[in-house]
Amino acid sequence: MNTIDRIDRAIDMTGGIVEGIAAEQLTAPTPCREWDLRELLNHLVGGMNIFAAQLQGLTPVRDHHDDWLGADPQGAYAEAAELDRTAWHRPDALEQKVRLGFGEVPGPMAAVIHLTELVVHGVDLAVATGQMHSVDEQLCAELLAIMREMGIENFRVPGMFGPEVAAPRDAPAHRRLLAYVGRA
């Protein structure tokens, strides 16, 4: 399985979780301590739109933290998911360079970073809304293995990943993944 296939699985997993979010849950706290659920979902949807634009050689129409959700968070996610999926399936997607907050990265690295955003924030949303049944544990285990192999020590900075926290060896893959990126 390649990274694009995993992005597809992550879009689907997170989409199912987003569909299960009730309006009254949008102010709930998340494992991302600095964001409530609406802010986290907005960050995710904004990122999907920005990646999609850049993969098509376009300039994003809005800033990452503008309001991407409007009055319909589920609809905004579904629209972003379609744009994102289509962009990653372009024949030249992995040949593109993507500009991120810390600099420009080649397509294959951008794909892994995007996969990480989709899976980790999808799990964050599931934890915040009690939808652990919707988490793809195999995908979490695969991403954790990729991240461990690549090493993320340079990304353990405020706003990205915190220090790894302890997780029991027999914890589900999503818990081990969250612990690896510094979430308790």
Side-chain angles (χ1 to χ4, degrees):
M1 176 162 299
N2 66 39
T3 305
I4 304 302
D5 294 332
R6 287 184 177 106
I7 287 173
D8 284 341
R9 285 172 53 203
I11 289 170
D12 293 342
M13 176 193 82
T14 301
I17 294 163
V18 170
E19 281 299 314
I21 296 172
E24 62 272 8
Q25 292 177 306
L26 290 173
T27 58
T30 69
C32 286
R33 292 183 187 106
E34 64 274 9
W35 291 327
D36 68 16
L37 199 135
R38 182 180 176 82
E39 291 166 324
L40 176 60
L41 181 55
N42 189 70
H43 167 80
L44 185 60
V45 168
M48 294 168 76
N49 277 285
I50 289 169
F51 266 97
Q54 288 192 22
L55 288 169
Q56 297 174 71
L58 303 172
T59 300
V61 296
R62 289 184 266 177
D63 185 60
H64 201 141
H65 296 289
D66 286 345
D67 180 13
W68 293 88
L69 301 181
D72 182 11
Q74 282 85 3
Y77 180 87
E79 184 178 318
E82 183 61 31
L83 291 170
D84 195 40
R85 188 185 314 268
T86 299
W88 283 108
H89 281 274
R90 291 170 52 99
D92 65 346
L94 295 177
E95 297 167 17
Q96 302 301 313
K97 293 202 184 280
V98 176
R99 192 175 322 103
L100 301 174
F102 57 87
E104 194 172 81
V105 297
M109 177 60 73
V112 171
I113 290 168
H114 191 55
L115 173 64
T116 301
E117 285 271 309
L118 289 167
V119 175
V120 171
H121 289 322
V123 172
D124 289 334
L125 294 169
V127 168
T129 59
Q131 296 186 71
M132 299 321 303
H133 61 278
S134 297
V135 171
D136 182 336
E137 294 291 346
Q138 181 61 39
L139 182 58
C140 290
E142 291 168 13
L143 177 59
L144 180 57
I146 291 166
M147 293 177 79
R148 285 190 186 283
E149 182 178 314
M150 289 177 55
I152 64 167
E153 295 313 309
N154 291 338
F155 296 100
R156 290 193 188 279
V157 296
M160 292 185 92
F161 301 124
E164 184 173 4
V165 297
R169 287 181 165 249
D170 62 347
H174 79 272
R175 282 286 172 205
R176 289 182 282 123
L177 175 63
L178 289 182
Y180 185 69
V181 298
R183 289 165 173 68

